Structures are given as C-alpha cells and as structure tokens.
RNA sequence: CGGGGUGUAGCGCAGCCUGGUAGCGCACCUGCCUUGGGCGCAGGGGGUCGGAGGUUCAAAUCCUCUCGCCCCGACCA
C-alpha cells in the first residue's frame, strides 16, 4: 500500500481532549477519531491493527474449539425480559423502539441471544458441549466514557459462550479458554497477569480477569510476590491482618460515654482518646434497594463494597445520606455505633469481632463510647469478611505481603452456571432422560481495549512502538528527495521487491521534507523502517532500522530484502 | 447524578475582565526557493465566535436559559 493512496492524517499537536497516552497517540497518529463521547471511528491504519488482532483471536478461539458466528446488535426486549435483565440492567442498556413502538435494545452483551439460539437447537446431552464466539460491536451507555478506546460506549468485543451437561465439562472449556487468552496476549507481546475476579452482575461462580499492566489502568490488582495468587482488589482475600495492639488502659466495667466534640473522623477520635485507630469500630450506614444496614469495620481498615454487595445480594448500594443516618441511629454522621442500634441489620467484619475491647460512636452528638466489648455490649446480625484488601496485607495462601499494581482489564472469563439457562428454559435431557438446565460459561475479550493497552505499554516520547503482530504494517519504506526521478524510480523498484517477497509494507511515497517523514514514522511506530535517499543511493545503499532502538544499518541495495527479512525474523523470535 | 473546567477556521490557542470592523501558530491553496529529523520568502482561501433568548445605538465580550465536550467523584462484564 502506498501512503498517497491511503488515508493517513497525523496531527502535530496533541488533541486537547485526550488524557491518557494511548488515546493521545492513537488520535495523533490518525488511527482513530472521535464521533461523540465514547464513540470512535477506526481509521484505515487503526482498523488494520485491529484486524490483525482479530486474526490472532480467531486462530486461538478455533484452537480452543469455539466456532464463530455473528449475532445482531439490536435485540428484542422480550429476550431480556425473559432473563430478567430488562429490569435489572439499568440505564447502561440503550433502549429503543421501532416504528411499531416495540421495545428493543442495543446489545451490551449477548447471553440472551446466544441462549435463545442454543435452546432452539439442542435437546440432548449427546449434542453438548456447544462453544460459540463472535467478534462484534457492543454498546454500553457508560456513565462516564473516557480514555479513548479504553472505555468507550461503543466498542468491539470478542465474546464467547459455552454450554455443558455438567460442571466438569464446563471446567474443561473454561481451562481451554483461559489458555487461549494467555496465548492471545502472549502473541501480542503484552505484559499481562491473570487474576481472580468478582463476577459482578453477570453472575456465576468462578471468574478470572486478564489485566495488561499499566499505570493508567482503571483497576487495582493485588498479587503475591511469593506464590501465584493475584486478584482484583474488589475480590482479593487476605490472610489474617495484624491484630490491634493491646488496649492501653484498664478495662472499664461497662462502656462509658465520652464527650468528643466535633470528632468525626477515625483519626481525630483516636488521637483525642489516645488509642490506636485499630481500636475503633467504624460504623457505616449503607442503603440498598430495599433496606438499610449498619456495617462494622475496624477503624484502620476500609469496607469492600463489592464484597458487601454480594453478601447483601443487592444490585444497588450506597452510603446513606446524613439525614437517613440521623433517622436510623439517632445521632449525626460520624458518631454512629452498634451499641443499642435497633431496627437494622448489623454486619460485622471478623476483624471487629477479634477486638477484645473497643471504642465506637454513641449514636449521640459529640459522644463516643469507650470500653465497648463485643458480645457484651452489642451482637452483630452476621459476621462476614467485607474488608477491602490493601497492599501489605498478608497473602491468603502463603502469608507474604501483597503488592498492588494497576491494570487494564482486557479479558474476563466467567463460569456462569445456570443463571440464564434456568430463566430462559435452555434445557437438555441427560442420559437418564431427565431434563436439566445447561451449565454455561462466558468469555469476553476487549478488542479495541487490547489495542489501546498495547499502545499504553509500547511507546516512547516520540510515538507508538508497535509490537510486530499488531503493527498496521510491519515495514515502512520511506523515500527522501522524492523530487528526483532516479530516486523515486529506485524506491519504486525496492517497493516492488518487498511486495514480491510477501512483506507487509507501506510505501511512504510523499514528497514531504525528511523531518516531516521521520517524525511521522516515529509517531506511527512501524517496527522496521527502510529509508531510500540521495545520500545512500550514491553508494547503492539503503538504511534499515528498527523503531524500538533506532539504530541505523547501511545495507547494499541488493541485500535489502534479505536484511528486512532478517530483522522481521529477529522481531518474531 | 454531584463538583470543577471548557466551547472562537481542519488542529492548538489568544481576544471576553473594561462591549465598538474576529486574531495568532500549525495545516491548506498559488508562486519562487529548499530537501537526511516538523525549511525560507511572498501572496491567498477559510470562522452566522456551540445554540436560543435578553440588555444595548452596538454583543465573541454583559445577563438568562440550553446543548456538547473534558477532568474528579459516585457508578460500571
């Protein structure tokens, strides 16, 4: 392909609305352009990279035993009503009506449609398992799209679904998908890690996320440097955290109320009472779709709202407003405590129950209770781990301190169980003639997001440094002094040689000044560069170089193709 | 949805406070010149200043409303 026949428009300046590096560089390099918030065009070069990634994904899906199909973007409401998600999904689901006023939505994911396909076709355990995937455009009306392709509203995703007669068979498919994902990210040359994850509102039992490590990642992940444990912070379990220090004073016979004027935060109260923050019971009032709950956590720790949500089995959870807190506890915000708290469920983290003696809010203005004893002064409704894991906490497996890193979620695989097959009647007859719901798995991989993650991980101050498998073109041939006909002729000859050798090459045939061309090459990040110009041609030489190190190798024209092939070979190994 | 910001030529921005013929850099067009890291000179085209309403002799500028976009948060496979 020639530059002059392509549609490549680079920007000299950073776009004003791009914050993260992948968004900035992909826009500047003319790979994508914005149409509306979270909605992008994939321009020719960007689309070419995307297609290369899709080829890799298809090959690995095939290897994992999944067959490709394509489902519609626009889906009838009936299917979503059947699964119940028409009512659960919320405003993220883009809903629309056709001319007959019938309800539809733009698919944010395809469990409903795929389940409908399979239930119509499969009736017997003899026909299972089924494993299908598609690469397709999704729409999720995110509250806050941002960072270019990293969190768009419309985005391209590979989604696969598997259907099984039993849990062991699901496990086999799950492991095959897990391996396929690893191979995809390895083939793309990305540094990634696989972590345990929460299943969110998709539902299901086991779940893993694939994270490309990058400081700009939106997810925090905790991993153990000693063993293989790694998890999204939302999901992470820890071993027993350091217990609170010894209570510094004599234990009063009963809890005593202490005047603590304007002391609302844990730090203030701990300092004022001359105790450790770990001696405090922090009491948070949460509001769900149907109830209020009081949540108790040790003063030096934080609550994991995802764990709490799972415990409560609710879809919406938020901290109660100041007015509600007063209504429920009788005291203002900052002075809540479990003692004498009636009318709401009290959920305590185990770390609270370990405290022999504690201080906490008195549910009265400017007052805390000191010398509170668990079990004597209050009794929680339930004790559940709802602690947010943090860097430095001991690994749940081996006890080593966990470290925190940031990652971009590029893949997420779930064991769904029978959530959709039950609600939508996707059943089969087992060997005994009994009808059972199929057991399902689903497996997502963000195509655009993976590409953005690759840029996030492979760039310098001049531009993108494509890993070879994702580069829009593997080689760029640049002609300098393009006003001289003998030089253009030589370059044309080299272009033909490269093409005849089957090399994936872009020919920059523009008559721009050298500086412009070099800067564009650096920005676009083609792995291998061939420069033809007056200076080299005088000695029948061209210059070969790699984007990643920029080292220039003068090569006789007759050896150009061989030299390029050697460099590509080198990059592949 | 709460908080903050922003909207002026394809891109990046100034002008607004203090109302008076809409500017700069890059890009683009023409000519000359130049050609191994974003050339130089000369000439030129392009904007109902996000939209609506108001104040005024006069509004990019002041006022009201509204829409888009960005950032932080909440939220989110």
């Amino acid at each position: 392909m020639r530059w002059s026949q392509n549609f490549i428009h680079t920007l000299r300046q950073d776009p004003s609305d791009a914050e993260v590096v992948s968004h900035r560089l992909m826009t500047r390099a003319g790979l994508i352009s914005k149409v509306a918030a979270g909605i992008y065009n994939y321009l020719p070069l960007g689309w070419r990279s995307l297609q290369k990634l899709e080829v890799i994904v298809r090959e690995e899906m095939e290897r994992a035993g999944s067959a490709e199909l394509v489902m519609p973007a626009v889906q009838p409401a009936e299917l979503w009503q059947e699964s119940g998600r028409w009512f659960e999904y919320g405003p993220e689901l883009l809903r629309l009506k056709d001319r007959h006023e019938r309800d539809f939505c733009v698919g944010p994911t395809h469990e409903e449609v795929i389940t409908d396909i399979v239930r119509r076709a499969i009736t017997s355990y003899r026909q299972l398992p089924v494993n299908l995937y598609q690469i397709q455009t999704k729409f999720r009306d995110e509250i806050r799209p941002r960072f270019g392709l990293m969190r768009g509203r419309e985005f391209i995703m590979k989604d696969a679904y598997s259907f099984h007669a039993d849990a062991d068979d699901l496990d086999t498919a799950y492991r095959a998908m897990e391996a396929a994902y690893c191979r995809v990210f390895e083939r793309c040359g990305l540094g990634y890690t696989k972590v345990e994850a929460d299943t969110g509102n998709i539902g299901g039992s086991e779940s893993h996320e694939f994270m490309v490590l990058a400081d700009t990642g939106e997810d925090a992940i905790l991993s153990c440097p000693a063993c293989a444990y790694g998890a999204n912070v939302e999901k992470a379990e820890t071993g027993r955290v350091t217990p609170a220090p010894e209570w510094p004073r004599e234990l009063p016979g009963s809890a005593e109320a202490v005047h603590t004027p304007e002391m609302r935060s844990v730090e203030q109260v701990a300092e004022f009472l001359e105790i450790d923050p770990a001696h405090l019971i922090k009491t948070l009032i949460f509001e769900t779709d149907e109830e209020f709950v009081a949540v108790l956590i040790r003063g030096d720790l934080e609550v994991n709202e995802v764990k709490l949500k799972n415990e409560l089995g609710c879809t919406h959870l938020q901290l109660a407003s100041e007015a509600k807190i007063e209504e429920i506890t009788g005291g203002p915000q900052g002075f809540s405590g479990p003692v004498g708290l009636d009318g709401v469920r009290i959920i305590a983290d185990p770390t609270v129950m370990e405290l022999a003696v504690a201080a906490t809010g008195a549910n009265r203005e400017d007052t805390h209770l000191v010398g509170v004893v668990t079990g004597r002064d209050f009794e929680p409704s339930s004790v559940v781990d709802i602690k947010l894991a943090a860097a430095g906490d001991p690994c749940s497996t081996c006890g080593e301190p966990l470290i925190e890193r940031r990652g971009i979620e590029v893949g997420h695989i779930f064991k769904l169980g029978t959530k959709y097959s039950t609600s939508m009647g996707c059943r089969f007859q087992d060997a005994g003639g009994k009808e059972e719901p199929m057991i399902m798995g689903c497996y997502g991989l963000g195509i655009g997001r993976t590409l953005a993650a690759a840029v996030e991980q492979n760039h310098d101050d001049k531009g993108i440094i494509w890993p070879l498998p994702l580069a829009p073109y593997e080689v760029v041939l640049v002609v300098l002094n393009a006003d001289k006909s003998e030089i253009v002729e030589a370059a044309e000859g080299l272009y033909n040689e490269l093409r005849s050798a089957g090399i994936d090459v872009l020919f920059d045939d523009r008559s721009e000044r050298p500086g412009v061309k070099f800067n564009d090459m650096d920005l676009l990040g083609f792995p291998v560069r061939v420069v033809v110009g007056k200076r080299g041609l005088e000695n029948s030489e061209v210059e070969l170089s790699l984007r990643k190190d920029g080292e220039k190798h003068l090569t006789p024209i007759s050896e150009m193709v061989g030299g390029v092939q050697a460099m590509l070979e080198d990059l592949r190994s």
Side-chain angles (χ1 to χ4, degrees):
Chain A
M1 171 57 84
R2 290 164 189 276
W3 188 298
S4 59
Q5 293 176 336
N6 210 316
F7 188 84
I8 307 170
H9 298 278
T10 59
L11 301 176
R12 293 202 175 192
Q13 278 147 320
D14 282 333
S16 63
D17 59 0
E19 191 76 3
V20 299
V21 81
S22 61
H23 187 195
R24 228 170 53 221
L25 288 176
M26 292 179 87
T27 304
R28 267 194 67 196
L31 306 180
I32 58 171
S33 63
K34 190 173 74 179
V35 181
I39 301 178
Y40 290 84
N41 294 310
Y42 303 96
L43 300 171
L45 283 187
W47 184 241
R48 208 158 198 276
S49 280
L50 215 59
Q51 284 181 306
K52 288 195 169 184
L53 173 57
E54 288 186 1
V55 167
I56 292 172
V57 170
R58 287 193 168 96
E59 285 173 6
E60 295 305 332
M61 283 302 105
E62 180 118 342
R63 187 198 297 261
S66 195
E68 185 170 8
L69 82 170
V70 178
M71 291 177 268
V74 174
Q75 307 174 9
E78 286 77 6
L79 289 176
W80 287 74
Q81 286 158 355
E82 248 191 289
S83 74
R85 285 207 290 186
W86 184 259
F87 314 102
E88 286 168 14
Y89 216 96
E92 211 183 317
L93 182 65
L94 180 66
R95 295 154 212 257
L96 41 96
K97 285 182 192 293
D98 72 3
R99 60 166 72 201
H100 305 295
E101 293 287 302
R102 281 193 283 255
D103 288 313
F104 287 83
C105 65
V106 182
T109 173
H110 282 65
E111 281 81 7
E112 281 77 4
V113 178
I114 196 87
T115 303
D116 182 56
I117 292 173
V118 172
R119 70 180 172 184
R120 288 166 187 275
I122 306 293
T123 53
S124 157
Y125 74 99
R126 293 172 189 273
Q127 297 167 298
L128 291 173
V130 167
N131 194 332
L132 298 165
Y133 80 97
Q134 66 173 346
I135 294 177
Q136 195 246 18
T137 298
K138 306 273 185 267
F139 194 94
R140 291 181 194 174
D141 203 354
E142 298 275 354
I143 295 170
R144 185 142 96 86
R146 56 181 144 180
F147 303 156
L149 294 193
M150 272 170 58
R151 180 172 292 275
R153 291 195 290 173
E154 183 180 296
F155 57 97
I156 299 175
M157 170 169 146
K158 186 285 300 176
D159 45 323
Y161 307 87
S162 67
F163 297 78
H164 308 272
D166 61 60
D168 281 351
D169 198 47
L170 167 62
D171 194 64
T172 305
Y174 191 85
R175 298 304 151 209
M177 282 294 177
E178 197 171 23
Y181 277 45
C182 291
R183 289 185 54 91
V184 167
F185 300 123
E186 269 154 30
R187 285 180 63 181
C188 292
L190 294 174
Y192 73 98
T193 183
K194 187 191 78 185
V195 298
E196 292 178 12
D198 184 71
T199 51
N201 69 6
I202 281 264
S205 52
E206 188 176 353
S207 171
H208 288 91
E209 287 169 335
F210 290 81
M211 297 281 191
V212 166
L213 300 172
D215 294 338
T216 45
E218 292 190 273
D219 290 280
I221 53 189
L222 290 170
S223 53
C224 175
C227 71
Y229 183 76
N232 191 310
V233 69
E234 293 176 345
K235 168 78 178 176
E237 312 279 338
T238 68
R240 194 161 172 273
V241 296
T242 317
E246 198 76 358
W247 183 258
R249 295 187 290 275
E250 213 168 300
L251 176 61
S254 63
E256 42 184 348
V258 178
H259 186 58
T260 51
E262 291 299 314
M263 303 283 169
R264 286 167 188 273
S265 74
V266 166
E267 292 71 29
Q268 288 170 334
V269 175
E271 197 185 327
F272 183 79
L273 296 176
E274 295 179 336
I275 55 175
D276 195 279
H279 289 132
L280 277 163
I281 299 172
K282 187 155 64 177
T283 306
L284 302 167
I285 310 297
F286 281 93
E287 183 179 353
T288 75
D289 335 82
E290 36 199 58
E291 62 173 335
F292 289 92
V293 291
V295 174
L296 311 183
I297 184 90
R298 216 170 76 185
D300 59 329
L301 304 174
E302 300 296 328
V303 168
N304 181 333
E305 293 191 18
V306 173
K307 284 186 186 174
L308 181 58
K309 223 185 229 181
N310 289 341
E311 171 60 23
L312 297 170
C314 63
T315 50
H316 297 290
L317 179 75
Q318 61 181 35
L319 281 166
S321 66
E322 174 121 37
K324 289 287 180 191
I325 291 171
E326 287 224 44
E327 195 182 315
I328 289 156
T329 68
Q333 183 179 25
F335 299 96
S336 304
V339 181
L341 188 60
D342 292 324
V344 289
R345 269 210 281 170
I346 299 176
I347 295 180
D349 187 77
T351 54
V352 168
M353 306 313 286
E354 284 173 10
L355 291 172
V357 54
T360 189
N363 299 322
R364 204 189 323 156
E365 187 161 11
D366 294 344
T367 313
H368 279 79
L369 294 176
V370 177
V372 171
V373 175
T374 310
R376 181 191 72 183
D377 298 322
F378 72 95
E379 196 67 60
S381 325
S382 53
V383 179
V384 188
D385 172 29
I386 38 125
K387 178 174 72 70
L388 185 69
D393 286 352
C395 172
S396 57
T397 313
C398 72
E400 279 294 303
L402 296 172
I403 55 169
E404 181 174 323
R405 288 178 294 180
R406 299 204 69 83
I408 302 164
E409 180 194 346
V410 288
H412 199 161
I413 59 178
F414 301 81
K415 286 187 179 176
L416 279 180
T418 58
K419 175 172 173 175
Y420 297 92
S421 47
T422 300
S423 61
M424 296 184 64
C426 181
R427 292 183 289 266
F428 69 102
Q429 278 197 333
D430 66 16
K434 204 170 142 225
E435 196 162 71
E436 297 283 354
M438 295 181 203
I439 299 175
M440 293 173 58
C442 78
Y443 319 90
L445 192 157
I447 300 288
R449 192 183 271 185
T450 299
L451 201 65
V455 173
E456 210 63 46
Q457 221 173 50
N458 298 283
H459 68 272
D460 60 16
D461 54 346
K462 290 178 175 165
I464 302 168
I465 306 174
W466 283 114
L468 189 69
L470 300 181
Y473 292 89
E474 295 184 345
V475 178
V476 63
L477 171 68
V478 187
V479 59
L480 303 181
N481 324 101
D483 59 326
K484 303 255 188 317
S485 59
E486 67 273 18
I487 295 174
V488 172
E489 270 169 43
E492 293 280 349
L494 292 171
Y495 175 49
N496 286 329
E497 276 186 49
L498 287 166
R499 281 200 302 171
S500 307
I503 289 168
D504 181 34
V505 58
L506 178 72
F507 179 23
D508 181 0
D509 55 349
R510 294 174 300 165
S511 166
E512 287 287 347
R513 297 183 64 79
V516 172
K517 298 189 139 195
F518 285 124
N519 280 299
D520 276 344
M521 295 317 118
D522 290 340
L523 176 59
L524 288 163
F526 304 109
V528 174
R529 188 164 78 185
V530 182
V531 178
V532 195
K534 188 175 63 180
R535 217 160 69 185
L537 282 184
E538 283 165 2
N539 303 316
S540 296
E541 285 176 334
V542 293
E543 178 190 294
L544 307 188
S545 60
L546 292 176
R547 172 64 177 89
K548 66 178 181 190
D549 61 20
E551 212 173 294
K552 296 167 182 172
H553 307 276
L554 287 174
T555 307
I557 284 185
S558 55
E559 295 167 23
M560 186 270 299
V561 170
V564 168
Q565 282 169 331
M567 284 179 143
L568 290 174
E569 204 43 54
D570 218 43
L571 287 171
R572 270 188 260 272
S573 60

